[in-house]
Amino acid sequence: MEKKAYLWARTLCHYAGESEEFLADFWERLQASQGVYGEFLYFLEHQNFSGAYNIDGCTVIDIMIWQMDRFKVEMDMGKTDMRCNHHKMLLLAFNTMLKMEKEPEKYLNQMREDTGSDYPDKF
């Protein structure tokens, strides 16, 4: 299963436009995290999130939704076109969860404070 997971991580990185250095770093951190790695494997096998692992109540599903709101902000500002790159959205959700393990308060605060662009006078 590890080889299959690595090949999928490499494929996600490729389609997300990430470098080999990013892949190596991501893979090392992913393997070091039993919780996020388990979520990654579950998604690989089922093409859906399990939501079983959480950090202070926050799952990879919550991260994905939060990041989708952030991507919408970037699209509204003309900074990116993430509509066609679901690979990057998925990869970054797992990557953010890995970062959240190390600095939970930083990411939990960002998620509480940055709620996207769907309210008046955002910009």
Side-chain angles (χ1 to χ4, degrees):
M1 184 53 118
E2 183 177 333
K3 183 176 181 179
K4 185 176 179 181
Y6 176 78
L7 292 174
W8 186 53
R10 189 174 75 186
T11 299
L12 280 176
C13 287
H14 170 76
Y15 285 117
E18 297 295 345
S19 67
E20 288 291 323
E21 291 80 19
F22 179 93
L23 169 61
D25 178 61
F26 174 75
W27 182 248
E28 182 179 321
R29 290 181 296 118
L30 184 64
Q31 287 188 297
S33 170
Q34 183 177 357
V36 181
Y37 188 62
E39 290 290 324
F40 190 81
L41 292 177
Y42 185 91
F43 195 94
L44 173 60
E45 289 297 307
H46 302 279
Q47 297 301 295
N48 202 350
F49 298 104
S50 78
Y53 178 66
N54 73 79
I55 300 168
D56 291 336
C58 182
T59 68
V60 71
I61 300 163
D62 299 313
I63 294 169
M64 186 76 167
I65 292 167
W66 172 66
Q67 288 190 162
M68 288 172 70
D69 284 342
R70 293 182 72 211
F71 291 137
K72 286 192 293 184
V73 170
E74 291 181 13
M75 286 188 300
D76 290 347
M77 297 172 68
K79 291 184 177 180
T80 188
D81 186 9
M82 293 301 295
R83 284 176 280 237
C84 300
N85 199 337
H86 62 279
H87 299 97
K88 188 163 191 156
M89 286 193 283
L90 182 61
L91 176 65
L92 293 181
F94 286 113
N95 191 51
T96 298
M97 191 165 212
L98 289 168
K99 291 177 180 180
M100 186 182 282
E101 283 185 322
K102 302 293 183 204
E103 299 179 88
E105 283 307 310
K106 173 184 174 181
Y107 289 92
L108 291 168
N109 286 337
Q110 285 180 4
M111 290 178 73
R112 287 182 201 111
E113 294 170 7
D114 187 359
T115 58
S117 63
D118 295 337
Y119 58 90
D121 303 321
K122 172 69 177 189
F123 300 108

